Amino acid sequence: NSIIIENDQQYETVDFAAKVKPLEEMSREDILKAIQDAGIVGMGGAGFPTHVKLSPKNPDSIDYIIVNGSECEPYLTSDYRRMLEEPQKVIDGLKCILALFDNAKGILAVEDNKPDCIKLLKNLTKDEPRITVKGLKTKYPQGAERQLIYATTGRMINSDMLPADAGCIVDNVDTLVAINSAVRENKPLMQRIVTVTGDAIADPRNFRVRIGTNYHELIDEAGGFKEEPAKIINGGPMMGFALFHLDVPTTKTASALLCLTRDDVSEAEEGPCINCGRCVEVCPGRIVPSKLASYAARGDK
């Protein structure tokens, strides 16, 4: 569901900076209110209100603020470009969160398939005693909260726990940039970076778009379709969901538009399970996928 607003094509704005206070003069309540008023949510896909996430029951128990820069989904590159082109905004956003938690340290977590990004962030934070950059092994789902927390801190959380229960808070790269704009510039969340890609796209690229922009416009800006897509996915190929048409607006959690000429998954033929156990070994959730497949085949809930 969406509200359709007629565009007057004027793009007039207000002077957001008129009410800005320096970060050093802002109280914890001031910072959280700025984040809430800006309408910031988790922009990695969850969409959970950020001011709520940053208000744990016991702030003194938070030891780590982890910036999720792993971007482990195939095809997606929006966070990577953000960290390369506007790294200081990411770092300044992290500093805004660290101002809320006196005992916490910041970790910029980036997969090791982005060595240029890791090098740049390390250089910019070399004089920041509360911030470290950690290169992580490139694998899926490295960006999932449980896996990311374990990879960066060695702490494990189960399904009954929240990250705050393990002394951690995890936020996406784009969320950090939005926090920086809200706290330091008093700007609401009005835009984000969206990856438009896939083998059906003529000119794949990343776009900085206003939230609410129609997907048709993004496809046109990317050169249109060079081939008719077999599947269009809102998000990445692992966690995204298929779209049946493009008359859909971008949202705060719209990280990508993936247009594929072949649906490899639906075309693949299912083979017999030989009970080798490899699916159990590699499963990040520590479940038994072979049993789940058997239950699904029988419709057993």
Side-chain angles (χ1 to χ4, degrees):
N1 294 328
S2 57
I3 299 172
I4 300 174
I5 303 173
E6 185 177 353
N7 190 344
D8 63 5
Q9 307 296 329
Q10 298 301 308
Y11 298 106
E12 297 171 335
T13 186
V14 298
D15 183 11
F16 295 113
K19 299 180 180 179
V20 172
K21 289 198 301 185
L23 178 62
E24 297 74 19
E25 297 179 10
M26 297 179 74
S27 65
R28 175 182 174 81
E29 290 71 25
D30 290 337
I31 296 172
L32 289 173
K33 188 175 189 305
I35 293 170
Q36 180 178 8
D37 290 347
I40 298 174
V41 301
M43 297 172 71
F48 190 77
T50 300
H51 73 281
V52 177
K53 179 185 284 191
L54 297 178
S55 304
K57 294 179 181 179
N58 185 9
D60 292 334
S61 68
I62 301 300
D63 301 315
Y64 297 103
I65 307 299
I66 304 170
V67 181
N68 187 354
S70 60
E71 200 165 41
C72 59
E73 280 258 25
Y75 290 98
L76 273 61
T77 57
S78 57
D79 286 346
Y80 171 58
R81 296 312 309 175
R82 176 76 91 174
M83 289 186 288
L84 269 186
E85 297 181 31
E86 298 179 322
Q88 195 58 53
K89 291 184 178 180
V90 179
I91 295 168
D92 288 344
L94 176 55
K95 289 180 180 178
C96 291
I97 297 181
L98 289 174
L100 298 171
F101 304 99
D102 295 334
N103 301 329
K105 292 185 177 181
I107 300 176
L108 290 157
V110 185
E111 283 190 327
D112 57 13
N113 64 346
K114 308 173 183 66
D116 50 350
C117 191
I118 294 173
K119 181 179 179 181
L120 177 61
L121 292 172
K122 283 186 175 180
N123 182 57
L124 291 173
T125 58
K126 63 180 185 296
D127 297 323
E128 299 288 347
R130 295 183 67 190
I131 299 176
T132 58
V133 180
K134 192 174 184 66
L136 306 177
K137 184 178 179 180
T138 301
K139 64 178 182 178
Y140 184 87
Q142 192 70 276
E145 275 190 333
R146 294 184 199 175
Q147 283 70 37
L148 190 65
I149 290 172
Y150 181 73
T152 53
T153 69
R155 299 182 180 185
M156 300 181 67
I157 60 174
N158 58 41
S159 58
D160 295 327
M161 298 171 63
L162 294 173
D165 297 328
C168 301
I169 289 177
V170 180
D171 269 315
N172 173 261
V173 165
D174 237 4
T175 307
L176 267 289
V177 174
I179 289 173
N180 180 63
S181 295
V183 175
R184 299 178 188 270
E185 303 174 42
N186 197 37
K187 288 184 178 179
L189 176 54
M190 298 184 292
Q191 60 182 18
R192 67 160 298 137
I193 309 294
V194 179
T195 300
V196 181
T197 188
D199 55 3
I201 295 292
D203 189 13
R205 59 180 62 198
N206 289 292
F207 294 99
R208 190 194 308 267
V209 305
R210 292 183 179 89
I211 293 166
T213 301
N214 191 286
Y215 277 142
H216 272 301
E217 295 182 55
L218 294 183
I219 296 295
D220 291 343
E221 285 295 324
F225 296 128
K226 61 181 180 181
E227 293 183 51
E228 191 65 25
K231 176 162 284 190
I232 300 175
I233 300 173
N234 183 353
M238 307 300 287
M239 295 294 290
F241 53 90
L243 295 176
F244 295 97
H245 58 82
L246 289 171
D247 286 320
V248 177
T250 55
T251 65
K252 296 177 183 180
T253 58
S255 59
L257 187 62
L258 178 58
C259 305
L260 303 173
T261 57
R262 294 179 64 244
D263 187 347
D264 294 328
V265 175
S266 64
E267 292 177 6
E269 292 187 10
E270 182 180 347
C273 175
I274 60 173
N275 295 310
C276 66
R278 292 190 64 189
C279 62
V280 181
E281 291 177 9
V282 300
C283 180
R286 296 177 178 82
I287 58 176
V288 184
S290 57
K291 286 190 175 182
L292 292 181
S294 176
Y295 297 153
R298 299 196 304 268
D300 186 354
K301 298 180 180 180

